Amino acid sequence: MSTTTGLRPASGVTKGDQLPPLTLKVTRRDLIRYSGISSDCNFIHHSDKRAKEAGLPGVIAHGLLTMGMVARIVTDWVGDPAAVIDYQARFGRPVVVPDDEAGTTIDVTAKVGLVNDDGTARVDVYAKCEGQLIFGRCYAIVRLA
């Protein structure tokens, strides 16, 4: 990375580059904390009974919490969270979080899908929980140095 701006230099980025993989842990405690911060106290994020009544397999992580956690693969790689110009995800599958200390894990991989002439790049992100993709499509547009 460039030491003057903190951003990844564009000259070193090519289409197909793989970002270092990331494994994230999500526990019920994370959901409780996020509920308080976001004011999203929907029962599906803390009550197995209510989640099942809603047709879910169990308590699920907040979509925006999951999306935010997954974005770390991009911000770590580009070197500055402010370099993320756009970040989008299409939710595909909920992340079920068991009521135990282990919680669940999300395995995140990403690759450069496109490098633009304007000094930006598109990073395609793939997040899996229990071997299944949780987003239909997820990508970030980042500014490079």
Side-chain angles (χ1 to χ4, degrees):
M1 277 186 288
S2 168
T3 57
T4 57
T5 65
L7 297 179
R8 181 163 295 278
S11 61
V13 177
T14 59
K15 180 179 178 180
D17 286 351
Q18 298 285 325
L19 281 63
L22 177 65
T23 299
L24 303 165
K25 178 179 175 180
V26 185
T27 66
R28 291 275 178 103
R29 185 171 187 205
D30 296 321
L31 304 186
I32 291 166
R33 284 192 259 178
Y34 187 80
S35 289
I37 291 168
S38 68
S39 297
D40 181 352
C41 299
N42 190 314
F43 288 108
I44 64 173
H45 302 304
H46 62 84
S47 168
D48 283 306
K49 178 181 181 271
R50 297 292 289 272
K52 288 179 181 177
E53 287 172 357
L56 298 165
V59 165
I60 62 169
H62 304 74
L64 292 179
L65 170 62
T66 304
M67 190 176 165
M69 291 176 72
V70 167
R72 193 173 119 209
I73 195 169
V74 177
T75 60
D76 285 355
W77 175 78
V78 77
D80 180 359
V84 178
I85 299 167
D86 187 17
Y87 178 53
Q88 297 187 29
R90 180 173 293 142
F91 298 106
R93 178 177 309 281
V95 174
V96 178
V97 181
D99 190 10
D100 59 24
E101 295 297 317
T104 193
T105 58
I106 300 172
D107 296 307
V108 189
T109 59
K111 67 178 180 179
V112 177
L114 183 66
V115 179
N116 299 306
D117 293 335
D118 65 357
T120 63
R122 187 190 76 225
V123 178
D124 300 322
V125 180
Y126 308 92
K128 291 183 177 184
C129 184
E130 297 181 356
Q132 298 187 349
L133 286 170
I134 60 174
F135 300 127
R137 179 159 193 228
C138 182
Y139 68 90
I141 305 297
V142 297
R143 182 174 34 86
L144 304 169

